[in-house]
Amino acid sequence: MVRFLARHPMVGVAIFMSIFVVGCVPVRLEASWPALSLIEESNDIVLTYNDRIVLIDPVSGEPVKLRNVDGEVRLDENGNPRMWEFTGTEGQARQFYSAPLQINPETLLVATYADRHMYEVDLPTARIITTTQVDLPGQVTAGLAMNADQIYVGISERNLLALDSQEFSTNWTFPTGQGVWSEPLIIDDVLYFASLDHFVYALDADSGDEIWRLDLEGAAPGTPFYHNGHLYLGSFARKIYDISMNGEILAEYTTDNWVWGEPTVVDDVLYAADLNGTVYALDVADGSFSEKWKAQVGTRAIRATPVVADDYVIVGSRDHKLYWLNRSDGTLVEDQGTVDNVQNFRVREMSGEILSDMLLIEPSDTLDIPEPYVIVSSIANEELLSAFTVSNGERIWTYGR
């Protein structure tokens, strides 16, 4: 069985969502997990889930109200406030899996899954700019990327597209053996992205010409993380890789299980988690992987990238729990006091599985919150989004529908 899964990594994806592999092409049957992002300047949270996209106020957790040019709340025919919500076009199958791309202060670019379209959405009104509907050759699960001239779209069945940023016409298509489920990364006019075909690619971002490709021995659904001239990436080969900008493997570290989420590096320490519920802290300062600590945390898989804030590493698991770990040694953070004479750890329960990457938001001139919050989503409709304080795990608000 292990050998079978190694040769056919898409079969194992079914542990997260209802996916079947037919001729090596993934077919999604229902929504998987939300996608989260932030609107620049306002810091409103963009929550993409199943058939709609909504904006959530990060201070209150309430849906953002639509306003007119004078700043007045817009009302519906019954006198109720209109909320910012985008559900696509009437009569079309509506499903969204990737967060919108903000291409300017007033415009979002939204790629759909079911109807294979891309739209410009007017941010003030939550309406489609009708002249810019773009037909796509496949379904989109990955985030979009852009530079001044082009928008890059990974197709979930296979291939990566480059679209003209003004006309949205296809400039070029780069072929891959299987789907692209990770957001492309652009560094110094080079486009880096991973595919389920086991390869990570480097392309000339302008022309799409291949610079190099590297076999990772397993599917790679995560985005490469760039740090100090290195690319860090996990794969279903049960490995984390340190890759040079020239496409050479500089170091590799063996994990207990598949690594789905993107690693992150803070103060020369790489943090990652695997589908066994294990969290890793690896020192990368000397150009190699030196294990700082390794901790078995969740009782089920951890898909999302860990959040590193202050003295904590925060991870969410399929076991419905959010865990605070000590950044120094990976042990669970102790909350003050005991419960029924049992040591009390900073673990918070959610209504559903935690599968999405989390957001860290901090106080600023445009965000009036008293301290940093970690924004966490679950797949339970009654608790799609919650905000917790980083310092003590206090739940500030919850949004559901």
Side-chain angles (χ1 to χ4, degrees), residues 36-39 42-48 53-65 83-85 359 361 367 375 384-387 397-401:
L36 305 180
S37 60
L38 290 175
I39 296 295
S42 71
N43 289 301
D44 289 331
I45 300 166
V46 186
L47 172 64
T48 303
I53 300 171
V54 297
L55 294 191
I56 304 298
D57 186 319
V59 177
S60 66
E62 297 292 327
V64 171
K65 297 179 177 66
M83 304 301 178
W84 201 107
E85 181 176 274
L359 296 176
I361 59 175
L367 184 55
I375 308 298
L384 285 173
L385 210 58
S386 290
W397 52 256
T398 292
Y399 166 80
R401 72 167 194 261

Side-chain angles (χ1 to χ4, degrees), residues 367-382:
L367 184 55
D368 185 19
I369 56 176
E371 60 178 296
Y373 294 167
V374 58
I375 308 298
V376 187
S377 65
S378 82
I379 63 173
N381 281 331
E382 65 271 22

Side-chain angles (χ1 to χ4, degrees), residues 88-279:
T89 54
E90 291 296 329
Q92 295 280 1
R94 297 184 293 270
Q95 270 185 313
F96 307 99
Y97 288 96
S98 60
L101 174 68
Q102 186 174 0
I103 59 177
N104 60 51
E106 295 194 344
T107 310
L108 299 179
L109 200 60
V110 175
T112 69
Y113 181 83
D115 63 357
R116 305 184 181 198
H117 287 154
M118 189 174 71
Y119 304 99
E120 276 189 302
V121 177
D122 182 63
L123 188 52
T125 63
R127 293 178 178 172
I128 292 174
I129 301 173
T130 56
T131 58
T132 56
Q133 175 177 309
V134 180
D135 294 330
L136 296 172
Q139 299 162 323
V140 177
T141 59
L144 310 179
M146 71 176 295
N147 59 17
D149 301 315
Q150 297 187 121
I151 295 162
Y152 303 96
V153 185
I155 303 300
S156 65
E157 293 91 346
R158 65 188 69 234
N159 301 344
L160 183 132
L161 312 179
L163 308 179
D164 182 271
S165 61
Q166 301 299 317
E167 302 296 330
F168 301 112
S169 55
T170 300
N171 287 341
W172 49 260
T173 299
F174 183 84
T176 60
Q178 290 189 29
V180 178
W181 286 17
S182 65
E183 181 177 327
L185 172 70
I186 305 171
I187 303 290
D188 295 333
D189 298 322
V190 178
L191 186 73
Y192 302 93
F193 71 97
S195 170
L196 301 185
D197 65 6
H198 297 198
F199 288 99
V200 58
Y201 297 90
L203 311 181
D204 182 291
D206 181 43
S207 66
D209 292 337
E210 182 177 319
I211 300 172
W212 53 259
R213 70 174 66 189
L214 181 64
D215 189 346
L216 300 182
E217 303 176 320
T223 298
F225 185 90
Y226 175 77
H227 175 72
N228 283 349
H230 296 246
L231 298 172
Y232 296 99
L233 183 63
S235 87
F236 288 178
R238 304 188 180 198
K239 291 181 180 178
I240 300 170
Y241 295 95
D242 175 358
I243 302 169
S244 76
M245 307 307 284
N246 295 320
E248 300 178 45
I249 295 176
L250 302 177
E252 57 184 64
Y253 176 90
T254 301
T255 58
D256 293 342
N257 210 317
W258 295 349
V259 178
W260 186 308
E262 178 182 354
T264 189
V265 179
V266 180
D267 297 333
D268 287 329
V269 177
L270 179 146
Y271 301 90
D274 70 16
L275 303 195
N276 200 48
T278 305
V279 182

Side-chain angles (χ1 to χ4, degrees), residues 325-353:
L325 309 180
N326 287 299
R327 190 170 161 186
S328 59
D329 59 11
T331 57
L332 285 171
V333 173
E334 294 183 34
D335 270 344
Q336 293 182 348
T338 61
V339 177
D340 297 329
N341 295 319
V342 177
Q343 191 174 23
N344 187 26
F345 294 105
R346 192 171 303 164
V347 179
R348 303 296 181 256
E349 187 87 22
M350 299 281 284
S351 297
E353 299 178 19

